[in-house]
Amino acid sequence: MRDVLNGQEMKQCDENTMKMGMLSAVLMERAALSVVKEIMERYPDDDTRILTVCGAGNNGGDGIAVGRLLALQGYEVGICFAGNPEKMTTETARQMKIAKNYNVPVLTPEEAFQENWDVIVDALFGIGLSREITGKYADIIKELNVYYEGAGKIAVDIASGISATTGEVLGTAFQADVTVTFGFEKRGQLLYPGAEYTGALKVEDIGFTTESLFDIIPGLHVLEKEDLDMLPKRTAHSNKGSYGKLLLIAGSEGMAGAAVFAAKAAYRMGCGLVRVATVESNRAILQQLVPEAVLAVYNDTTDVVKFVETQLAWADAVAVGSGIGQSALSEKMVKTVIEQNTKPCLFDADALNLISKNPEWLQFLKNGAVYTPHLGEMSRLIGTSIAEISKDLVGAALQYAQKNHVVMVLKDARTVTATEKRGCFLNLSGNDGMATAGSGDVLSGVIGALLAQGMLPEDAAPMGVYLHGLAGDAAAKKLGRHSMMASDIVDGITDLLKEQEDTIEQ
């Protein structure tokens, strides 16, 4: 697991490093050297013409140093200074003096843009940018993106115009092919739309380490393959009851697929027993497609309160909502789960829509419940537009999790899992082939199975999201992203866990 910092945390980390005795000039030189190394590997021909576009802040100082070092390596370089000379930081002024002493050409934007350049290095704004870019700076960035469209684009630390904390585009932003960042990944480089402007992200060690954090507790983490060691273990002396009993309340008439995907995913994740509570009309479909599942069916005449209470008594964990619709019966079942259940529980899809219509139910909700809304469902839950939520996925997820004492899995291209005890997790596994019907039902089955096998909700949710994405990556590798269906993600779980078992056995 690795930490991801927001803009303020990274700024404090920088200050802490200097408190430890590291000189700002040394950090700047090491930053510049790491960018130069990347450029020289990508563009080994020293006939390459390179323009570094620099502001007055320390990010601009990095860029000036990059230009000077490249010039000393024989590249044809121009340093375009676009900032206000009177507002240069001490280190940037020092770098400008050094560059001039080495006779590196320093150009105005007007002079620079009259020439052709093979590579553009963006060092206009760093991680401290918090306001919208307007005026001449916006014009410069647009010029770099449009006029120099075919040139290589390298961003120093962060693409100018991207919020380091939220990934928002602050007015306009530099479109980088690669960003060389320092010490830690920044949230805005991993969240969309910032990720699209970041390009390939390279993290370089220039002196920022975990020792530099001092008392900073990073609020965002990314799971890695090594974290799969947290998965529930299997033992030779065991039986089906050893691996948990999951109750899935899923599928309404015409929506049997949701129950099928969730049940198959849960079994593939190693759950010992999966009971599907669904409408009578889904019986034959489930018996044919998931014969391993235990069925509990209901119809319009069923006393669903007693029905649900009976199923809850059997289960070790519950997942409710996939494809259940929003009928009166479904409403009674979800309400009963909220009021009566004491087991780890996941709420998805229609269960969340019903909760958004009946917010008073939240007073009965037990701590540790897992919510898995997509942006539309989240919008209905909190009464805020999708556009507003998208501006700060981490903040929206964490605020709801803390207010309602739940684990919030906010599904998007980069899913955020917010917990009260473990902070937030940003998922980097998965691909666009998973944007297909039934993918969310598979996720419900994956997380539900982990809950049934004894993982705590704050661990099961981010791990389930990560595994779900890895399974999607396995499916994409086999089939390609265009052709993927939810059933392929289920098959990907098999491939993924087999690979993990083989690794452990070796």
Side-chain angles (χ1 to χ4, degrees):
M1 183 171 67
R2 62 185 190 268
D3 297 324
V4 180
L5 303 191
N6 63 28
Q8 184 58 42
E9 288 168 343
M10 190 63 229
K11 183 178 179 181
Q12 186 62 52
C13 181
D14 191 340
E15 294 175 2
N16 291 346
T17 304
M18 286 183 284
K19 289 177 182 178
M20 294 165 65
M22 180 68 78
L23 298 177
S24 180
V26 174
L27 290 172
M28 187 169 285
E29 197 75 5
R30 293 188 67 180
L33 284 166
S34 68
V35 176
V36 168
K37 173 176 171 286
E38 180 68 25
I39 292 173
M40 292 181 67
E41 289 176 354
R42 285 177 171 262
Y43 307 99
D45 186 350
D46 60 11
D47 288 336
T48 302
R49 303 188 76 239
I50 302 173
L51 179 69
T52 66
V53 184
C54 309
N58 279 351
N59 188 254
D62 293 341
I64 294 168
V66 167
R68 182 243 309 162
L69 292 168
L70 287 169
L72 293 176
Q73 290 294 326
Y75 288 86
E76 186 174 350
V77 173
I79 296 174
C80 172
F81 184 72
N84 183 344
E86 296 179 358
K87 293 186 178 181
M88 280 189 189
T89 64
T90 301
E91 293 302 336
T92 299
R94 186 202 309 272
Q95 289 294 343
M96 181 63 79
K97 180 180 179 180
I98 297 171
K100 288 180 177 179
N101 286 339
Y102 276 96
N103 297 313
V104 183
V106 178
L107 311 171
T108 66
E110 292 75 19
E111 292 169 336
F113 295 161
Q114 289 177 9
E115 300 186 38
N116 293 319
W117 303 96
D118 301 311
V119 177
I120 304 295
V121 178
D122 163 37
L124 269 175
F125 297 103
I127 61 168
L129 183 68
S130 59
R131 63 183 184 279
E132 186 172 306
I133 296 176
T134 59
K136 74 168 186 175
Y137 296 114
D139 293 338
I140 288 171
I141 291 174
K142 290 174 184 176
E143 183 85 5
L144 297 176
N145 286 340
V146 177
Y147 184 75
Y148 293 101
E149 186 175 4
K153 306 283 182 59
I154 313 292
V156 177
D157 204 16
I158 192 166
S160 291
I162 296 300
S163 165
T165 297
T166 67
E168 285 181 89
V169 175
L170 299 173
T172 188
F174 181 78
Q175 182 67 66
D177 299 318
V178 59
T179 297
V180 181
T181 198
F182 312 126
F184 298 87
E185 297 155 295
K186 318 306 184 292
R187 291 187 185 189
Q189 295 166 334
L190 303 180
L191 291 161
Y192 286 99
E196 294 176 324
Y197 289 83
T198 298
L201 182 61
K202 303 296 181 69
V203 182
E204 294 290 339
D205 175 16
I206 68 168
F208 302 131
T209 66
T210 53
E211 286 77 15
S212 303
L213 295 176
F214 285 18
D215 57 353
I216 299 171
I217 301 176
L220 189 64
H221 318 285
V222 171
L223 292 180
E224 302 175 281
K225 281 287 186 72
E226 293 78 6
D227 296 304
L228 295 179
D229 290 342
M230 293 170 55
L231 286 173
K233 304 297 188 292
R234 301 184 77 84
T235 61
H237 187 209
S238 59
N239 55 61
K240 61 189 177 184
S242 304
Y243 303 110
K245 296 180 289 185
L246 175 64
L247 171 64
L248 289 174
I249 302 178
S252 56
E253 187 169 356
M255 293 293 289
V260 169
F261 293 137
K264 281 190 171 183
Y267 270 126
R268 291 298 189 196
M269 276 305 304
C271 190
L273 283 166
V274 179
R275 177 178 290 185
V276 181
T278 191
V279 294
E280 174 71 42
S281 59
N282 287 338
R283 181 194 293 274
I285 298 171
L286 282 158
Q287 286 176 331
Q288 181 178 0
L289 296 180
V290 197
E292 301 88 349
V294 180
L295 295 185
V297 298
Y298 62 91
N299 56 39
D300 291 341
T301 64
T302 302
D303 182 340
V304 292
V305 173
K306 289 185 178 179
F307 172 80
V308 169
E309 289 174 346
T310 299
Q311 312 315 317
L312 292 176
W314 170 88
D316 294 318
V318 185
V320 55
S322 296
I324 64 172
Q326 298 179 53
S327 67
L329 281 179
S330 296
E331 186 169 331
K332 279 186 180 181
M333 287 194 296
V334 173
K335 185 172 186 287
T336 301
V337 171
I338 291 174
E339 291 179 342
Q340 302 297 329
N341 179 55
T342 59
K343 316 288 178 60
C345 187
L346 178 147
F347 295 91
D348 184 33
D350 288 317
L352 295 173
N353 290 327
L354 288 167
I355 290 171
S356 67
K357 292 179 179 179
N358 299 276
E360 69 277 5
W361 291 354
L362 293 175
Q363 64 182 304
F364 304 109
L365 191 66
K366 310 301 186 296
N367 290 359
V370 178
Y371 280 22
T372 59
H374 56 56
L375 292 184
E377 291 158 350
M378 186 66 170
S379 176
R380 289 187 283 276
L381 276 172
I382 66 176
T384 302
S385 71
I386 292 175
E388 282 299 311
I389 296 169
S390 298
K391 287 182 180 180
D392 186 6
L393 290 179
V394 177
L398 183 59
Q399 183 177 11
Y400 191 93
Q402 292 176 334
K403 178 181 177 181
N404 297 289
H405 309 294
V406 301
V407 175
M408 172 58 74
V409 177
L410 183 51
K411 297 184 291 192
D412 197 24
R414 291 279 163 84
T415 294
V416 173
T417 301
T419 78
E420 288 191 280
K421 298 179 181 179
R422 303 277 197 272
C424 295
F425 295 81
L426 184 65
N427 185 58
L428 301 185
S429 66
N431 58 81
D432 52 58
M434 301 174 72
T436 186
S439 179
D441 304 317
V442 174
L443 177 61
S444 290
V446 169
I447 297 176
L450 294 176
L451 292 172
Q453 292 175 77
M455 286 191 78
L456 297 173
E458 56 266 30
D459 295 325
M463 178 59 72
V465 172
Y466 181 53
L467 286 165
H468 181 249
L470 290 177
D473 289 337
K477 184 176 181 181
K478 183 183 295 185
L479 301 168
R481 303 192 309 277
H482 284 81
S483 301
M484 283 172 57
M485 298 186 295
S487 54
D488 301 318
I489 303 173
V490 174
D491 293 339
I493 296 171
T494 305
D495 297 336
L496 169 66
L497 295 183
K498 175 64 165 59
E499 179 184 331
Q500 180 69 7
E501 286 180 5
D502 291 344
T503 300
I504 293 173
E505 290 172 2
Q506 291 173 2

